[in-house]
Amino acid sequence: MSLTSTAANLVTLAEGAEGGGGHASLQPIVVGGGAFLALLLLLWITTSFNRDR
């Protein structure tokens, strides 16, 4: 497969998904907020194990 044929296939695939591609019940603020809280939790766990004793 060449680069041009791959790009053409990807463009065709992207044009078919006009609905946004996401599920109707997924709200970006909820997904982003959940990811942010998960990262804060991982940061807290990492720093709690990294204290000098």
Side-chain angles (χ1 to χ4, degrees), residues 13-26 28:
L13 182 64
E15 288 175 348
E18 295 178 4
H23 195 270
S25 66
L26 290 178

Side-chain angles (χ1 to χ4, degrees), residues 16-45:
E18 295 178 4
H23 195 270
S25 66
L26 290 178
Q27 297 179 356
I29 191 74
V30 175
V31 174
F36 181 70
L37 289 176
L39 287 173
L40 282 178
L41 177 66
L42 289 173
L43 180 65
W44 179 76
I45 291 171

